[in-house]
Structures are given as structure tokens and as C-alpha cells.
Amino acid sequence: MMISRLLVAVLAALCLIVPAIAEDAELAKLARATGTPDIPGLKMVWLAPWGDVRDAKPWRNIIVHQTEGPAGSARGGAQAQAKAPTRRGVTVWVETDGTVYWAVAENLVPTHGDGANRNDNKYIDNSSTYRQVVRDNSIGVEFAGNYPDVAAGPTEAQVATWKILVKLLRARYGIPLERVYAHNWIDYKDARYCEGCWLATLARVWGE
């Protein structure tokens, strides 16, 4: 009886693991695509299509940002970014409903981050980030909507989107998990809240 129960438990676990492995393999395949692929689980608005990933900037890090814009502001921010790619902002914008706007071609560098000026080890060990995790080697993702309460955090839809999006970005650019950073972890930011910290922490908790 005990062996039968154990066998049932093992089989049940395998039923959960096998689909997850298949989904990850499919996502990894899509992550090397060009153009405007359909990504399962993501509502993508392509303002700038993917090119050959070998022509992209050598993105080594992911920086998670949050903006104080109200719900609906990601679209406007992404459109303005697409018109002036190197302005202050990021490559990828995420709306409160989870919609993802890919705003900038992968070979262009938006102005985001403050030069990795944090070196107080408040959140993480900054010895490997100080003046090293900068806009030229880091792809930025902006989550809109923490207004008027900057401490409100991301929406459930944004969290669900992030779970897929962070895997997609990591697979496309070969970025290890430990190189997913909150903006507040690497730069001195608004003291009222920890920008990007919850989302970056979630990425690391979710793991591979």
C-alpha cells in the first residue's frame, strides 16, 4: 500500500514537471526568433520587431524599473520611447493589465539607470554591480502604474506577465538568474519605496 501511494505521488509530480519542461523548451525556441512572434501567455505589442539576436547589444543584465505613471501610461511611454529610442526610458514596458510593449530595437540603448552608483550593500552585495551594471549592458523593463501610491507594488497581471517575460529575456540573451536586478539594488533611488525590488526578488525566488 505504501509503495502504491509513493508511486502515485511520483507519477503526479511527473505530470506537473513534464508539461513545464515542454513549455520551457518551447519558450527557449521562441526566444531565438526574429520578427514579432506570438509568445504563449504574453500579450505583446511590437513597436520594434526582433532582429537576429546575434546583432543585439550584448545584454548581460536585466534591470527592473517602476514608473509613477497611472494605469494606461505604459502605452504612451512605450510609444514615446519608440519615436526617440535613446531618450530616458527602457526597451520593454509593462502595463497594469500585463500588456507588454517592446519599444526599442535590440541594438539601441535607451537612457536608463544612474550609472550603478549604489555601493552600500543595502540590498545585495554591490561589489559586482558598482559602476558595472549600466545601461550599455543591461536591458530595462518598466512596470507602469504605481500612482498615486508608489508603494502599491505591481498588479497580479503584471506579476503573471513577469513570470514568463523574465524567462523569455533570460533565454534570449543568455542572462543568468543572479543578473536580474531591481533598480534600487544598483542605484540610489526614491526613498519612499524600493523600485523593482519585489519583482526582482520574485524572479530569483521562482528560479530556473
Side-chain angles (χ1 to χ4, degrees):
M1 181 67 72
M2 183 66 72
I3 293 175
S4 297
R5 288 177 180 174
L6 181 60
L7 182 59
V8 169
V10 169
L11 290 173
L14 285 173
C15 287
L16 294 174
I17 292 170
V18 172
I21 292 173
E23 288 174 7
D24 286 349
E26 179 63 18
L27 190 66
K29 181 180 178 181
L30 285 170
R32 310 301 290 181
T34 59
T36 59
D38 291 325
I39 311 296
L42 295 183
K43 181 182 177 182
M44 300 285 291
V45 177
W46 295 94
L47 301 179
W50 279 349
D52 189 321
V53 70
R54 292 171 295 184
D55 297 327
K57 284 287 182 180
W59 305 123
R60 300 177 58 231
N61 315 287
I62 299 169
I63 302 178
V64 188
H65 300 265
Q66 289 175 274
T67 178
E68 291 183 48
S73 62
R75 178 185 177 190
Q79 289 175 334
Q81 194 77 57
K83 291 177 182 177
T86 59
R87 74 193 285 269
R88 187 167 183 84
V90 296
T91 300
V92 186
W93 297 69
V94 183
E95 188 47 76
T96 51
D97 66 359
T99 301
V100 178
Y101 294 87
W102 197 285
V104 178
E106 301 166 288
N107 61 340
L108 299 176
V109 182
T111 303
H112 72 108
D114 297 305
N117 60 18
R118 180 161 228 133
N119 61 351
D120 61 355
N121 301 321
K122 180 175 181 180
Y123 299 103
I124 59 172
D125 180 358
N126 292 122
S127 63
S128 62
T129 69
Y130 183 62
R131 303 302 190 199
Q132 297 176 66
V133 179
V134 293
R135 67 187 185 190
D136 297 288
N137 60 22
S138 306
I139 190 164
V141 184
E142 185 85 71
F143 287 80
N146 61 336
Y147 174 86
D149 179 6
V150 295
T155 65
E156 289 184 15
Q158 286 177 321
V159 170
T161 288
W162 177 232
K163 192 168 189 177
I164 301 170
L165 181 60
V166 69
K167 282 188 177 182
L168 181 70
L169 294 173
R170 290 183 55 230
R172 183 161 179 82
Y173 304 115
I175 299 172
L177 192 60
E178 64 270 17
R179 288 185 173 272
V180 179
Y181 300 105
H183 197 184
N184 250 79
W185 293 355
I186 61 166
D187 284 319
Y188 291 104
K189 298 301 298 177
D190 193 326
R192 294 175 298 167
Y193 73 113
C194 190
E195 183 186 340
C197 296
W198 175 235
L199 290 159
T201 299
L202 278 177
R204 296 196 180 198
V205 168
W206 290 327
E208 301 296 340

